[in-house]
Amino acid sequence: MAKAFAEMTQSITKDDSWTWKQVSPAVRSGCLVRDTSCFVISKPVIHPQNPSDLDTMEEDHGSFRGPLNAFHTYSYSIAHNPGYQLPVMYFTASHSDGSLLHEEEIWKDFAAQPSNMENIISQCEHPVFMRPSNFVHPCNTSAMLKILSRNDAIPSGFAPILLWLSMISPVLHFTLPPIWYRHLSSELNPSLDDGTDSESIGEM
Amino acid sequence: LASKRRMIATDEDIRKEVWRGVIPAVVTLSANDVTTLQAPSSYYILLPRVSYLPIVTQSVRKFFSGSIASVNSEMWFGDSKGRPLKWHLPIGLLFDLFGSPSDLPWRLTVHFHGLHETILPCPSIDTVKRSFLHLAKEANYLRHGDSAKFTSLSVAETDDLWDGLKNNSYQQFWKSNEKLLSDKHWMKNVPIRIYSQNSYQYQQELIQPFEDDKTTSKTLGKVLAEVMPHEFKDGSEGKAMVHGTFPSMSTPIVWLNENCSHPDNFLYIVIIKNE
């Protein structure tokens, strides 16, 4: 099903596509990889030498106080986690020089208080690539997915993966292409031709 | 850990023996990091099997601080074959994978720059704490079928798990760890990771721990035959190592997980293939 999802994205949203990568023939040694990375401007760190400097800096809206190349690169993949028996979103986050971000630096790339992110995003080893990575904790989504899977009205197509992506989208640095939602709508309502009836999504 | 000894020793004796295991090691500074005219001597250290490299090697950094460029740079270790040692695995597992009991002390090289690309960054001891607690959470999710037992530990109890490990205090650790076991030795799935020597690849499957009668624990041999039928079908001779020893194949898997896990509550098994 993951491979079918990858094919769907490659045909519908070429600039936001996913690819299935198989590292070895062994079971569970493959994962879905997002083909493009996204870039997050890191928040500049301001260290005024004395309090009066802060006033001048606040006036200067145009200039960027941090180093010119202060952006972070996020690359995503989805793999099955054998412990939680769920899909898990993994990502690497690097500085512009290629060095990896530490957990606390990653938390700062979200609007929330960094310490609140501790139970949401953590460092780990990627289960397929066996390299440093980070993951979005699955516990928050497992309860929701259990409820969804009990609902016989949900077909087995792309709906579960798209719904899961929607659930975790607040902690992703990319937005989900709107056209996927049209695809989701037409899956849930196969009787509709164009799949753009928003009322039927509400029935769900 | 033969079943004979289990009849004499109590569970507590076994747990203490697991806790006290140490690997004698000798650490040499990587040639790339030496800044002094003469290379420093090597450093001898006893590494606790159940701990993690960043916790117990601060003395290594101190010892070599006079010979390296920057005392605050990230420290990492490789073995005598140049293989990077991943700190997020317990020391005892690293030794069982890459070392040899006939070749002691375990020869390690310490590096202070150019962190190997396969090693997780470790900027502070809290990184180790988080990694350890995540694994404990996953292991208990497997045991109980949900995170409730683990997340219902108080902050003090969770801290006791970590502080007990960090301070090498068996009592402090097991005071909390005991609470993660269920009263009647019930488990939904057994948290096990199966490795083979000289590799970081591991197998983790959903393993139901009981026979059809739902009360008799499967044996180690039975679980291995289920998970790795090629290596462990009747008559074959793969060997299963836990904490550097070979438990009897008739050992109940539930008992093995409750008493011979690493502090993260996972039972780590290293398969030694016969040549």
Side-chain angles (χ1 to χ4, degrees):
Chain A
M1 207 277 285
K3 288 177 194 162
F5 172 78
E7 280 164 17
M8 183 273 283
T9 63
Q10 284 159 21
S11 67
I12 291 184
T13 45
K14 291 186 178 59
D15 57 349
D16 194 343
S17 58
W18 293 69
T19 304
W20 178 262
K21 296 240 195 281
Q22 188 85 29
V23 156
S24 83
V27 171
R28 279 203 304 273
S29 61
C31 62
L32 274 170
V33 175
R34 186 166 184 263
D35 296 321
T36 51
S37 301
C38 46
F39 303 96
V40 176
I41 306 287
S42 63
K43 297 179 175 62
V45 176
I46 299 174
H47 294 300
Q49 295 287 54
N50 58 61
S52 62
D53 279 1
L54 195 52
D55 294 331
T56 0
M57 286 165 97
E58 276 175 0
E59 282 166 13
D60 197 354
H61 302 295
S63 70
F64 185 57
R65 288 285 158 179
L68 285 174
N69 56 353
F71 64 91
H72 300 153
T73 306
Y74 281 76
S75 305
Y76 293 86
S77 61
I78 301 170
H80 180 83
N81 180 290
Y84 293 99
Q85 292 285 303
L86 289 169
V88 170
M89 181 65 77
Y90 293 90
F91 63 91
T92 57
S94 23
H95 291 285
S96 43
D97 65 359
S99 63
L100 296 174
L101 267 71
H102 299 151
E103 273 172 310
E104 278 144 28
E105 292 171 313
I106 292 171
W107 298 341
K108 286 195 187 122
D109 275 346
F110 292 93
Q113 262 293 95
S115 54
N116 288 345
M117 298 300 295
E118 188 168 341
N119 289 318
I120 300 174
I121 280 177
S122 301
Q123 179 176 260
C124 66
E125 182 170 73
H126 196 285
V128 170
F129 300 127
M130 304 292 284
R131 300 178 89 85
S133 187
N134 303 278
F135 73 108
V136 177
H137 285 232
C139 334
N140 306 315
T141 53
S142 69
M144 278 296 286
L145 284 171
K146 273 189 186 131
I147 294 172
L148 288 174
S149 66
R150 271 186 244 139
N151 183 343
D152 293 332
I154 309 279
S156 57
F158 301 130
I161 194 170
L162 290 177
L163 289 166
W164 172 73
L165 280 170
S166 310
M167 267 189 258
I168 62 169
S169 65
V171 291
L172 304 176
H173 284 300
F174 62 92
T175 51
L176 302 177
I179 199 168
W180 288 0
Y181 287 99
R182 239 175 62 182
H183 194 98
L184 174 65
S185 170
S186 65
E187 271 206 349
L188 294 172
N189 303 285
S191 55
L192 296 168
D193 283 337
D194 60 0
T196 50
D197 186 341
S198 55
E199 277 176 7
S200 31
I201 295 175
E203 278 166 7
M204 191 185 89
Chain B
L1 289 179
S3 52
K4 260 193 291 189
R5 281 172 67 199
R6 199 158 45 77
M7 285 169 69
I8 303 165
T10 62
D11 289 355
E12 173 118 1
D13 292 333
I14 300 292
R15 292 175 185 179
K16 281 186 175 156
E17 197 171 314
V18 165
W19 186 267
R20 289 174 187 155
V22 285
I23 313 280
V26 58
V27 184
T28 309
L29 181 61
S30 159
N32 292 341
D33 284 286
V34 178
T35 59
T36 47
L37 270 177
Q38 195 176 357
S41 52
S42 296
Y43 181 73
Y44 288 79
I45 185 171
L46 281 178
L47 299 171
R49 272 183 162 275
V50 298
S51 192
Y52 297 91
L53 283 169
I55 298 177
V56 298
T57 53
Q58 293 313 310
S59 57
V60 174
R61 180 189 293 275
K62 250 176 141 167
F63 182 80
F64 290 113
S65 58
S67 312
I68 58 177
S70 163
V71 147
N72 293 319
S73 52
E74 187 136 18
M75 179 174 68
W76 59 280
F77 294 87
D79 74 349
S80 55
K81 294 190 175 134
R83 295 178 290 200
L85 295 179
K86 297 185 181 184
W87 62 260
H88 72 280
L89 265 53
I91 292 169
L93 176 63
L94 289 171
F95 178 76
D96 291 341
L97 289 176
F98 300 111
S100 167
S102 59
D103 186 14
L104 291 174
W106 192 21
R107 282 169 290 126
L108 303 179
T109 306
V110 65
H111 304 259
F112 287 93
H113 78 280
L115 178 68
H116 196 276
E117 59 189 0
T118 59
I119 297 181
L120 300 179
C122 187
S124 78
I125 202 77
D126 281 342
T127 314
V128 185
K129 176 180 181 180
R130 287 191 282 261
S131 170
F132 166 70
L133 289 175
H134 286 317
L135 278 170
K137 188 173 178 186
E138 184 179 328
N140 280 283
Y141 181 90
L142 283 164
R143 272 182 185 164
H144 307 293
D146 60 46
S147 306
K149 201 138 186 145
F150 188 82
T151 53
S152 63
L153 288 180
S154 68
V155 171
E157 286 165 337
T158 311
D159 284 346
D160 276 342
L161 283 177
W162 167 248
D163 290 332
L165 177 65
K166 185 162 68 88
N167 303 329
N168 198 19
S169 166
Y170 172 91
Q171 302 290 0
Q172 189 179 16
F173 172 79
W174 269 102
K175 193 170 60 151
S176 285
N177 201 41
E178 190 76 55
K179 301 197 166 94
L180 294 172
L181 302 178
S182 81
D183 296 336
K184 298 185 170 69
H185 306 289
W186 178 83
M187 279 186 201
K188 182 167 187 199
N189 294 292
V190 199
I192 298 180
R193 288 189 173 178
I194 303 177
Y195 286 79
S196 297
Q197 273 189 318
N198 298 310
S199 168
Y200 280 113
Q201 297 285 348
Y202 65 89
Q203 244 180 297
Q204 183 178 333
E205 316 284 344
L206 278 188
I207 297 169
Q208 264 94 55
F210 296 106
E211 302 285 1
D212 293 333
D213 66 4
K214 306 250 193 321
T215 49
T216 313
S217 167
K218 287 179 186 164
T219 61
L220 171 63
K222 176 137 192 203
V223 167
L224 288 172
E226 279 176 12
V227 174
M228 307 179 81
H230 291 296
E231 286 85 346
F232 287 94
K233 56 184 182 240
D234 298 305
S236 76
E237 289 162 32
K239 290 201 282 191
M241 178 187 272
V242 174
H243 294 293
T245 68
F246 297 99
S248 156
M249 285 294 173
S250 57
T251 314
I253 200 74
V254 171
W255 181 90
L256 206 49
N257 176 257
E258 288 186 340
N259 296 286
C260 300
S261 290
H262 267 282
D264 64 9
N265 289 195
F266 268 94
L267 176 67
Y268 291 94
I269 300 174
V270 178
I271 304 302
I272 317 286
K273 296 200 170 88
N274 288 343
E275 295 302 317

